[in-house]
Amino acid sequence: MAVVYDPTVRTARMQAVLDEIDAGAGAPSMEIGNAGFASVLATIPLANNPPGSVTGDVLTFTMPQSDTSADATGTAAEARIKDGDGNIQISGLTVGTAATDVILDSVSITAGQTVTINSGTITHFT
């Protein structure tokens, strides 16, 4: 049998996630990596104070945000989010141009190019 959370609990948990992402001295960031995170392709600063909002069981990041000079060349496959102190708070986010956690303008990244996140959401499991 699957675990099911009360909607109020799901909202509170997602708010706690947002609060952790917003913690730290600097602005939080999202790193875009290739499969297995063998390389960080782009590091994109997120909005700060807060970097998004929670509605129900969905955390939606304030977008668009961009890295104006990608770190490496490769195919974007996953993302992770770091707080303002550089601690990984979330990993394993899916990346693509549609129907993923993080929607990029393109998953084909070349070092030095601008990489833009068009949208980003995390949905609490029920």
Side-chain angles (χ1 to χ4, degrees):
M1 177 178 249
V3 174
V4 178
Y5 293 93
D6 177 81
T8 304
V9 172
R10 292 193 308 256
T11 300
R13 290 178 76 169
M14 295 311 291
Q15 185 61 52
V17 169
L18 180 60
D19 293 344
E20 285 301 312
I21 294 167
D22 203 27
S29 63
M30 184 180 297
E31 291 182 336
I32 306 297
N34 56 6
F37 248 101
S39 296
V40 174
L41 304 176
T43 302
I44 300 167
L46 298 176
N48 200 9
N49 298 318
S53 60
V54 173
T55 302
D57 58 358
V58 179
L59 188 167
T60 302
F61 293 97
T62 303
M63 295 295 163
Q65 301 292 331
S66 298
D67 176 352
T68 57
S69 183
D71 304 318
T73 298
T75 302
E78 58 185 284
R80 60 187 175 203
I81 299 173
K82 292 184 172 183
D83 65 20
D85 290 333
N87 301 308
I88 297 172
Q89 295 296 332
I90 302 171
S91 61
L93 297 171
T94 58
V95 174
T97 56
T100 55
D101 300 318
V102 178
I103 306 294
L104 299 179
D105 55 346
S106 172
V107 294
S108 180
I109 297 174
T110 302
Q113 83 175 61
T114 297
V115 178
T116 301
I117 303 172
N118 292 323
S119 68
T121 59
I122 302 171
T123 302
H124 190 288
F125 57 92
T126 55

